[in-house]
Amino acid sequence: MRKGFAVFVLGFSLLAYGVEPELEGLPRGTELLGAPYDEALKINESPGPRASSEIIPVDAPFAKAVRVTVPEKRGAPSTVQLRAAIAQKVEKGDLVVLIFHLRSSGPGGCEALSLVECNEPKWAGLVVATARAEGEWKRFLVVGTAKQDFPPGKTALSFQLGNKQQTLEIGGVTLVNFGTAVSYNATTKKFSAGSAADAGAPLVFRADGRWKALDTGNLQVAPGSALDLSRLVDGPSGKYGRVTLTPDGGLSFADRPTAAVRFFAFNELVNHLFDQPDTALAAATEEQTRENCRAYAVLVRRHGYNMIRLHYVDFYLSTGAPADFECNPEKLDRFDYLIYCLKQEGVYFGLDAMSFTGLKRATWSEGVALRYKERLLVEPQAREVWEKSVRVLMTHRNPYTKLSFNEDPSLVYVTLFNEQDLGAYLGNFEGPALRPLAERKWRDFLNRRYRGDFAALVRGWGSDGAKAGGGATFDSIPFYEKKDAASSGQRGNDIGLFLHEIEADMHAWYLETIRAIGYSGMTALYDVLTFFRHQAIHNESRLVVNHGYHALPSDGEKPGSRLAQDSAVATAANYWRSRAMARLLNRPFMVTEYGSPYWGRYRHEEGLFYPAYAALQKTSAITVHEQAVSMRSKPLLECYAGRDPITRAGQVVAAFLYQRGDVSPSPHTVALAVNDAFIFTNGMLNRTVNSEQSKVVLLCGFGVQYDKKFPAGLPPYRMPDLILLPADGG
């Protein structure tokens, strides 16, 4: 390749990738850069200390490199870019390959977020990767398939460098579009001529000398066997009263205040539980359905679980209901009886107050289109759906337990809306139904913030002042683009303040409403993102929960879906570290979804390290996703933990390390001290705990200590062994 590229620099038409080993023998693609990379790549940056670039000769086959010096960390990576316009169109479905070399020429290594991006009709990225290197050249090959058209003139190759002070060199850059003439297998890391459809012919594995069929004839744990973990579960649930807070921020029961409690849990989509073939509790007769419920509850206990998070209850109960805000009576009776059976076996519950559309009837596609995660933030009238639905759910008296959820001590916590923080983060209120509502709130927020002085806004935004629109009033300001939420400067900080305002208002309304409905127990909200703005909102809650996965399939179990085949250990357990960064040290912290699902080749790692680190950090619950208890054998399926022998084995290890207490909490604690002055300035609202600082969580107790008044009933922060001030957020 390197000789081929040298010829290209001299002006010949040979492509840079001519002798790249992975690309040999493939149909020729289209070079997307309109000039040699050392001419095409230019510095593009936000205001601040100027970054510099220069072309330097290097002792490498590609002969030249671009050296960039970033004099100080600027915040988001996009604040300093080495950027080149794309001269050719990329069409939806095209396969694009980026190859480049990177090395650091300064202390501390270097880091570059590389991607092809366009902003029309909306922002989209292609061949996205974060590259890190030390003092030696490191080669990167990144492959992507366009999910939309990328028009020339609106599309660019960008190396984003602003997230750290660094000096780096980039060379040997090749960007090629193969269209649909070449396909790439993400598992084997190999290219082949022919379309993705040709490469997607199904692989068939048969029992032979290499492959052995799994014996899954009986998946039920036998009573009294080595795998029977019933002894870890103390039933019936609720007999010791409600959970209560301990002086060190953990959990105990009201009638056993000195005995710490951990919850070993799994997620259960209730509609899946009754209808999916591996459980299928719903039978031809109600008598058989009840027998299935009893058998299932016994099996849950044998697996060692003492909690289930009840997920998509609203979707299950509203399907087939006679009217909005009513429950399907047959399904409600089945659900009530299942709750009764699980209580008898010592199983506690977490409950999603709303996962979908509440008890407003909708098909799956209709519910997705309503986008309640976002809608509730910007349309006050939509909140009536939540209030009416949750009132029915929480006040209904179960005829078998004789208790409502409001009264039942087996209910440990209520998630006010599942993963609502992802709504605005992923959807950004796009579309004609939501964007006008969000834009109105955005303009009102800015008008109040700048006290009606539009000129003050333009001055404050500096070089971003042009993004205030072509008019001269607050009513002319367009809504921000999704990528702008991570930007630095005053406009980026205003976006963070706006998001914090609407999310904090949502949380306060939920708390007021559910207390009025009659529930006094623990609640949780905003359970995926760990931005500092969510720390500020979590400070008003008695419980913090979080979700996260090592890798998820790109398109579920559909043909062509891809799953990264990398090791979580190689990332320093990032999907555990990033969850634990949500923890506030003076209150309970729970992981209410986690997983490293089938068909990841390294998923065996999870059974050892995840529960061990959770126990080390005194986590109050860990909750694998999903359906960890199967009653009958069915084919393996992503995220169905009970079907996967590797995940099941990992859960047995987790029961010992975490639930039995084989791993003790760390006796030492490091606190990351934050306050409003840090969180609400310099764009920190939309950033997270620094990745390097988060690695302390692998050594000892670690969490955030927020210097602000917190709700009554929470214990004071204990004196840590060490207090750290936060580095710039990630």
Side-chain angles (χ1 to χ4, degrees):
M1 167 249 169
R2 286 74 176 179
K3 294 179 180 178
F5 191 82
V7 172
F8 180 74
V9 169
L10 291 173
F12 289 82
S13 61
L14 289 177
L15 291 176
Y17 63 87
V19 291
E20 286 288 350
E22 298 92 343
L23 309 182
E24 286 186 7
L26 297 177
R28 186 169 296 279
T30 301
E31 175 69 42
L32 292 177
L33 298 180
Y37 68 86
D38 55 303
E39 298 176 11
L41 290 166
K42 304 293 184 184
I43 286 286
N44 182 297
E45 60 183 323
S46 301
R50 303 295 295 178
S52 61
S53 67
E54 59 178 324
I55 309 301
I56 61 170
V58 293
D59 185 17
F62 41 86
K64 293 182 180 180
V66 183
R67 175 182 288 164
V68 180
T69 300
V70 182
E72 70 175 30
K73 179 174 180 176
R74 300 278 293 278
S78 59
T79 54
V80 179
Q81 301 184 38
L82 194 61
R83 195 171 177 90
I86 300 298
Q88 304 291 333
K89 180 180 180 180
V90 177
E91 297 183 341
K92 182 178 180 180
D94 285 356
L95 184 85
V96 176
V97 179
L98 170 65
I99 299 173
F100 63 97
H101 296 70
L102 180 69
R103 75 177 179 184
S104 172
S105 52
C110 62
E111 180 176 313
L113 173 62
S114 63
L115 73 160
V116 170
E117 62 176 349
C118 73
N119 293 307
E120 293 186 13
K122 60 181 182 179
W123 185 90
L126 177 63
V127 291
V128 181
T130 298
R132 298 181 178 89
E134 301 293 336
E136 301 296 326
W137 285 112
K138 188 173 180 180
R139 180 177 182 266
F140 296 87
L141 185 149
V142 192
V143 183
T145 301
K147 302 298 184 183
Q148 65 172 54
D149 289 345
F150 286 70
K154 306 293 184 182
T155 306
L157 168 64
S158 174
F159 294 99
Q160 300 187 0
L161 315 171
N163 65 330
K164 67 180 297 181
Q165 179 183 352
Q166 57 183 330
T167 300
L168 56 83
E169 297 166 9
I170 296 175
V173 181
T174 299
L175 184 64
V176 184
N177 181 9
F178 285 103
T180 58
V182 171
S183 59
Y184 178 71
N185 187 314
T187 301
T188 63
K189 310 291 186 185
K190 292 183 178 180
F191 295 89
S192 59
S195 69
D198 297 334
L203 295 173
V204 179
F205 298 90
R206 295 184 176 87
D208 54 23
R210 182 182 180 191
W211 298 98
K212 182 179 180 180
L214 287 171
D215 180 4
T216 57
N218 183 3
L219 294 180
Q220 298 194 24
V221 174
S225 67
L227 296 179
D228 184 351
L229 305 179
S230 301
R231 62 191 181 278
L232 300 180
V233 183
D234 186 7
S237 63
K239 67 180 181 180
Y240 300 120
R242 279 200 184 275
V243 291
T244 186
L245 299 176
T246 61
D248 62 352
L251 291 176
S252 64
F253 292 119
D255 297 339
R256 298 180 68 188
T258 60
V261 177
R262 288 178 180 174
F263 292 105
F264 181 49
F266 65 95
N267 271 306
E268 191 58 76
L269 277 72
V270 177
N271 53 316
H272 289 184
L273 180 57
F274 281 96
D275 300 331
Q276 286 289 317
D278 49 350
T279 49
L281 300 186
T285 67
E286 288 308 301
E287 180 182 356
Q288 184 58 52
T289 298
R290 291 192 175 194
E291 175 56 36
N292 290 345
C293 288
R294 291 192 292 270
Y296 177 77
V298 169
L299 200 55
V300 170
R301 182 174 186 171
R302 283 190 202 148
H303 279 256
Y305 294 110
N306 64 344
M307 176 182 276
I308 294 178
R309 175 176 170 237
L310 300 167
H311 199 31
Y312 280 86
V313 177
D314 52 351
F315 183 62
Y316 175 71
L317 294 178
S318 64
T319 302
D324 287 344
F325 312 117
E326 296 183 17
C327 298
N328 179 314
E330 180 182 63
K331 291 184 175 182
L332 179 60
D333 184 70
R334 291 172 174 176
F335 179 68
D336 283 341
Y337 190 72
L338 175 64
I339 295 298
Y340 167 77
C341 294
L342 289 165
K343 278 174 60 73
Q344 297 308 301
E345 296 299 328
V347 179
Y348 290 79
F349 308 103
L351 173 69
D352 285 2
M354 190 165 172
S355 303
F356 194 55
T357 61
L359 296 181
K360 183 177 176 63
R361 295 171 299 171
T363 65
W364 183 259
S365 58
E366 290 169 344
V368 170
L370 285 168
R371 293 166 64 183
Y372 271 107
K373 284 183 172 70
E374 295 163 87
R375 185 175 297 275
L376 286 166
L377 292 168
V378 295
E379 185 181 283
Q381 296 86 344
R383 296 182 180 186
E384 183 182 18
V385 172
W386 191 94
E387 191 276 335
K388 287 184 175 180
S389 301
V390 175
R391 185 175 295 277
V392 171
L393 184 63
M394 298 301 293
T395 61
H396 161 74
R397 188 171 298 278
N398 185 320
Y400 305 104
T401 67
K402 313 300 183 187
L403 298 168
S404 68
F405 272 135
N406 275 343
E407 303 162 328
D408 196 338
S410 298
L411 181 61
V412 174
Y413 69 92
V414 171
T415 299
L416 299 167
F417 199 130
N418 175 56
E419 298 186 348
Q420 190 171 6
D421 45 345
L422 286 184
Y425 179 72
L426 297 177
N428 203 42
F429 307 104
E430 290 181 356
L434 293 179
R435 179 53 63 83
L437 299 172
E439 196 163 55
R440 190 177 305 123
K441 279 191 170 290
W442 169 237
R443 291 167 174 172
D444 175 67
F445 163 80
L446 293 173
N447 196 354
R448 287 184 285 108
R449 174 158 169 72
Y450 290 93
R451 300 182 180 182
D453 189 343
F454 185 81
L457 179 147
V458 174
R459 289 193 303 272
W461 283 10
S463 64
D464 286 330
K467 295 180 181 179
T473 69
F474 286 93
D475 288 339
S476 67
I477 300 175
F479 201 69
Y480 57 85
E481 297 181 32
K482 177 183 171 182
K483 65 183 179 66
D484 294 337
S487 60
S488 58
Q490 190 161 314
R491 181 170 179 267
N493 203 66
D494 283 349
I495 294 170
L497 289 169
F498 168 70
L499 288 169
H500 174 264
E501 179 176 279
I502 62 174
E503 289 175 337
D505 174 74
M506 183 83 260
H507 182 241
W509 181 87
Y510 279 141
L511 289 182
E512 180 182 3
T513 305
I514 202 166
R515 299 300 181 229
I517 288 171
Y519 177 69
S520 59
M522 293 190 299
T523 61
L525 185 66
Y526 306 136
D527 42 12
V528 179
L529 304 177
T530 56
F531 294 143
F532 283 117
R533 75 171 189 266
H534 296 116
Q535 298 278 19
I537 298 171
H538 291 160
N539 187 60
E540 304 303 320
S541 178
R542 289 182 289 165
L543 171 69
V544 179
V545 307
N546 209 258
H547 302 171
Y549 299 83
H550 170 54
L552 287 172
S554 61
D555 199 14
E557 67 274 13
K558 295 179 182 178
S561 181
R562 295 176 176 178
L563 181 71
Q565 299 297 312
D566 57 343
S567 164
V569 172
T571 69
N574 183 58
Y575 81 116
W576 160 250
R577 287 189 289 118
S578 56
R579 307 286 63 77
M581 292 307 95
R583 181 188 181 195
L584 292 171
L585 283 170
N586 71 331
R587 66 202 73 190
F589 172 67
M590 297 180 178
V591 176
T592 49
E593 285 185 30
Y594 77 94
S596 182
Y598 166 80
W599 54 103
R601 65 181 297 186
Y602 291 98
R603 65 190 188 278
H604 62 277
E605 298 170 343
E606 180 175 85
L608 184 62
F609 83 76
Y610 209 96
Y613 280 128
L616 185 77
Q617 294 298 326
K618 203 178 63 177
T619 307
S620 293
I622 58 172
T623 313
V624 74
H625 187 79
E626 64 158 323
Q627 208 150 320
V629 176
S630 292
M631 299 183 73
R632 55 192 66 88
S633 175
K634 291 297 172 183
L636 274 64
L637 192 63
E638 51 98 7
C639 286
Y640 277 64
R643 301 188 188 187
D644 180 16
I646 294 175
T647 301
R648 285 178 62 128
Q651 287 292 287
V652 173
V653 177
F656 296 144
L657 299 183
Y658 176 80
Q659 180 64 357
R660 191 171 67 182
D662 292 10
V663 175
S664 300
S666 173
H668 302 290
T669 302
V670 173
L672 188 74
V674 302
N675 57 20
D676 283 355
F678 170 78
I679 288 178
F680 286 87
T681 57
N682 300 320
M684 298 308 299
L685 284 157
N686 292 330
R687 298 182 197 163
T688 62
V689 174
N690 178 276
S691 179
E692 290 302 310
Q693 286 188 319
S694 76
K695 292 176 183 177
V696 177
V697 82
L698 306 178
L699 303 175
C700 64
F702 185 65
V704 170
Q705 181 171 309
Y706 200 151
D707 184 16
K708 189 175 183 179
K709 183 179 179 181
F710 45 77
L714 286 170
Y717 288 101
R718 291 193 163 190
M719 180 63 69
D721 296 274
L722 177 67
I723 295 177
L724 296 179
L725 296 179
D728 286 345

